[in-house]
């Protein structure tokens, strides 16, 4: 099916919004239980379907899913999460550099118990990361960069380090022993790199545990940021910009560096919104307002909201329901009310995140596209994992979404 759409395009991604049925919710998913009239309006007037965004041979990360949604086959373009994070915060990588996402985590009695250190604020994170930088940073070789909240960056520069290592995603390793999930070399080339990372990881606990910030957090019953955790390593990828592929000028709005990094590599401008946190306290209204203002200068705006995914990783289905409802009322509804002229809008999760298990899975995700040029919609009444199965767009591969959404063919792949 080929659709022809007008000039302005808005893509809203509720990260990890899809889920499995929960017994606590009467056998329904959080998306089915949540009240989201704006999503339902778009579903009842638009065209619905399901999207495969995660490939079997790759991990289940947001980076893989969003690259697929934007039309970049991750089997060709994905080199790792770290370099995308680097681009998201403006860190330049050279040919031989290896970039890692670097979490602040909570370790207790040898167990990884919290991948986000209680969703530590950026102000406290900056002070703790400085302790690590002062102890281990070597300019031009080992460098740490501040991100947002618990999400930071480590770059190993030069040919002495190798990408031939395996690192564990902390949000996929909750309640596992630290010693069992430390970085491991794939072959001899990765030995020095793995050894360096393990040394810094294990030493970070001694550096951070007695810091006044962490003592105060423990006194308040909040998880301390007492260890760092590098993962998602990769080297600089090469993307063809979206304006070359689809002849559009795009912008991205997200509080998550990896999403901004994908946008940057795709030739999109990164729009920073005050108060955007990547958590349930994010500035929903600000993202909506900045998106509407950006549409004056851009053909395409991607709005990404991390909050549902974070709630899922916390195992909190009530919070997940709230984040879905906030996304619908405070952002999507606000965008719909503010749109002028002809537009095409799409809503979807990037992947499913299971609240019960607190992990990403490869389930197809629901999606809907609504255009002012559209004559007739599917009349699907609700936007959720089950209802969209009745939609006319069926089951599609993620890399085919953008040509459909934009109503045009790729000029290149």
């Amino acid at each position: 099916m080929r659709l022809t759409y007008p000039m302005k395009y808005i893509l809203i991604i509720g990260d990890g919004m899809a889920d499995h049925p929960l017994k606590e919710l009467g056998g329904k998913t959080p998306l089915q239980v949540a009240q989201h009239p704006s999503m339902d309006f778009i579903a009842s007037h638009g065209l619905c379907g399901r999207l495969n965004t995660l490939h079997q041979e790759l991990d289940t990360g947001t980076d893989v899913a969003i690259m697929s949604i934007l039309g970049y086959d991750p089997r060709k373009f994905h080199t790792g999460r770290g370099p995308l994070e680097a681009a998201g915060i403006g860190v330049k990588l050279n040919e031989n550099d290896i970039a890692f996402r670097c979490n602040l985590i909570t370790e207790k009695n040898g167990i990884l118990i919290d991948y986000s250190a209680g969703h530590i604020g950026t102000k406290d994170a900056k002070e703790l990361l400085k302790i690590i930088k002062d102890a281990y940073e070597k300019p031009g070789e080992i460098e740490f960069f501040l991100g947002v909240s618990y999400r930071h960056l480590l770059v190993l520069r030069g040919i002495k380090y190798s990408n031939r290592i395996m690192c564990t995603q902390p949000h996929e390793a909750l309640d596992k022993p630290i010693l069992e999930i430390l970085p491991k070399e794939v072959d001899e080339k990765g030995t020095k790199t793995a050894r360096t990372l393990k040394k810094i990881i294990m030493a970070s606990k001694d550096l951070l545990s007695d810091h006044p910030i962490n003592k105060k957090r423990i006194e308040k019953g909040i998880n301390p940021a007492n260890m760092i955790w590098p993962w998602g390593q990769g080297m600089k990828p090469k993307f063809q910009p979206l304006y070359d592929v689809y002849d559009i000028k795009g912008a991205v709005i997200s509080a998550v560096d990896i999403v901004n990094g994908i946008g940057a590599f795709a030739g999109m401008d990164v729009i920073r919104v005050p108060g955007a946190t990547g958590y349930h306290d994010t500035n929903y209204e600000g993202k909506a307002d900045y998106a509407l203002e950006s549409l004056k200068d851009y053909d395409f705006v991607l709005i990404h909201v991390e909050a549902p995914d974070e709630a899922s990783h916390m195992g909190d289905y009530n919070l997940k329901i709230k984040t879905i409802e906030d996304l619908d009322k405070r952002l999507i509804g606000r965008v719909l009310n503010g749109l002028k002229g002809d537009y095409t809008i799409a809503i979807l999760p990037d992947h499913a995140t299971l609240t019960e298990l607190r992990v990403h899975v490869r389930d197809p995700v629901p999606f809907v596209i609504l255009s002012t040029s559209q004559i007739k919609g599917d009349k699907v009444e609700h936007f959720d994992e089950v209802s969209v199965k009745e939609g006319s767009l069926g089951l599609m591969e993620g890399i085919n979404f953008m040509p459909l959404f934009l109503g045009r063919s790729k000029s290149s792949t």
Side-chain angles (χ1 to χ4, degrees):
M1 176 182 295
R2 182 177 178 180
L3 305 176
T4 301
Y5 290 148
M7 187 177 295
K8 300 298 181 179
Y9 307 90
I10 309 97
L11 170 59
I12 301 176
I13 297 178
D15 201 299
M17 196 160 51
D19 209 322
H20 282 182
L22 296 169
K23 62 181 180 181
E24 296 88 346
L25 300 178
K28 294 184 177 181
T29 70
L31 192 57
Q32 288 178 299
V33 171
Q35 299 296 308
H36 41 70
S38 296
M39 295 187 209
D40 292 343
F41 172 83
I42 295 171
S44 64
H45 292 80
L47 303 178
C48 298
R50 295 186 299 155
L51 207 62
N52 283 319
T53 62
L54 295 173
H55 294 280
Q56 292 294 328
E57 59 265 46
L58 298 175
D59 67 34
T60 56
T62 292
D63 47 346
V64 173
I66 291 184
M67 285 176 64
S68 179
I69 291 167
L70 289 179
Y72 296 99
D73 189 337
R75 293 168 295 186
K76 293 172 57 178
F77 295 99
H78 187 267
T79 66
R81 187 180 186 115
L84 302 173
E85 304 256 358
I89 59 175
V91 174
K92 303 298 183 183
L93 298 179
N94 298 316
E95 183 179 354
N96 295 311
D97 295 344
I98 307 168
F100 298 77
R101 161 75 166 273
C102 188
N103 281 36
L104 286 170
I105 67 165
T106 305
E107 178 271 356
K108 185 176 182 180
N109 299 323
I111 304 297
L112 196 166
I113 66 167
D114 186 346
Y115 69 92
S116 71
H119 285 87
I120 187 169
T122 303
K123 181 179 178 181
D124 286 347
K126 181 179 181 179
E127 190 170 337
L128 295 175
L129 192 65
K130 184 179 184 301
I131 302 297
I132 303 298
K133 287 167 66 74
D134 290 346
Y136 287 102
E137 187 160 272
K138 299 178 182 178
E141 181 181 341
I142 301 174
E143 298 178 354
F144 292 89
F145 298 90
L146 181 72
V148 177
S149 181
Y150 64 90
R151 314 174 190 92
H152 308 286
L153 188 75
L154 165 63
V155 178
L156 301 181
R157 299 190 186 274
I159 60 174
K160 65 189 298 183
Y161 295 106
S162 170
N163 203 26
R164 300 289 293 167
I165 56 171
M166 295 186 296
C167 295
T168 302
Q169 301 180 51
H171 53 280
E172 301 284 341
L174 294 172
D175 302 323
K176 291 186 178 181
I178 293 291
L179 293 179
E180 293 182 7
I181 56 175
L182 287 169
K184 298 179 177 65
E185 61 269 25
V186 174
D187 52 36
E188 289 185 3
K189 292 181 179 179
T191 301
K192 177 179 176 56
T193 306
R195 186 185 300 126
T196 299
L197 292 174
K198 285 188 282 189
K199 178 183 177 181
I200 297 176
I201 290 170
M202 298 306 294
S204 67
K205 185 182 178 184
D206 293 332
L207 291 171
L208 299 177
S209 291
D210 292 330
H211 194 282
I213 286 176
N214 281 325
K215 288 184 176 181
K216 289 181 181 178
R217 293 177 72 82
I218 292 171
E219 290 174 1
K220 294 179 180 178
I222 304 172
N223 285 338
N226 61 4
M227 186 174 277
I228 65 166
W229 197 263
W231 61 284
Q233 73 280 1
M235 305 176 82
K236 184 178 180 180
K238 295 180 180 179
F239 284 24
Q240 186 176 12
L242 284 176
Y243 51 76
D244 286 346
V245 181
Y246 298 112
D247 192 28
I248 57 169
K249 182 182 180 183
V252 57
I253 295 175
S254 176
V256 177
D257 291 333
I258 192 169
V259 179
N260 290 328
I262 293 172
F265 275 119
M268 302 169 70
D269 289 336
V270 177
I271 308 297
R272 306 288 182 180
V273 176
T277 65
Y279 196 40
H280 64 81
D281 62 354
T282 196
N283 185 0
Y284 293 94
E285 292 85 0
K287 286 188 173 184
D289 292 346
Y290 272 68
L292 291 168
E293 185 66 23
S294 297
L295 286 171
K296 296 177 182 178
D297 300 315
Y298 296 91
D299 308 309
F300 166 55
V301 175
L302 164 61
I303 311 170
H304 170 264
V305 174
E306 177 76 0
D309 188 64
E310 294 289 347
S312 302
H313 286 306
M314 294 167 64
D316 190 336
Y317 58 85
N318 284 320
L319 181 58
K320 184 167 187 175
I321 292 170
K322 182 181 186 302
T323 63
I324 293 170
E325 293 180 342
D326 284 344
L327 170 61
D328 186 80
K329 180 179 180 180
R330 298 170 59 187
L331 194 155
I332 298 174
R334 195 176 182 95
V335 168
L336 285 175
N337 289 334
L339 284 171
K340 299 177 182 179
D342 291 329
Y343 63 85
T344 299
I345 187 169
I347 313 293
L348 73 160
D350 54 342
H351 53 68
T353 308
L354 305 190
T355 308
E356 183 175 11
L357 300 178
R358 298 187 290 175
V359 298
H360 300 175
V361 293
R362 293 185 173 86
D363 293 9
V365 297
F367 78 99
V368 59
I369 300 172
L370 170 65
S371 174
T372 54
S373 67
Q374 203 168 281
I375 298 175
K376 185 179 180 181
D378 290 336
K379 298 190 182 303
V380 172
E381 293 186 1
H382 302 288
F383 182 75
D384 58 59
E385 302 88 342
V386 177
S387 298
V388 299
K389 292 180 180 179
E390 302 301 319
S392 61
L393 298 179
L395 179 62
M396 296 174 47
E397 292 303 311
I399 59 172
N400 295 325
F401 170 80
M402 280 295 280
L404 177 70
F405 174 55
L406 298 173
R408 64 193 77 177
S409 300
K410 290 185 178 183
S411 61
S412 179
T413 57

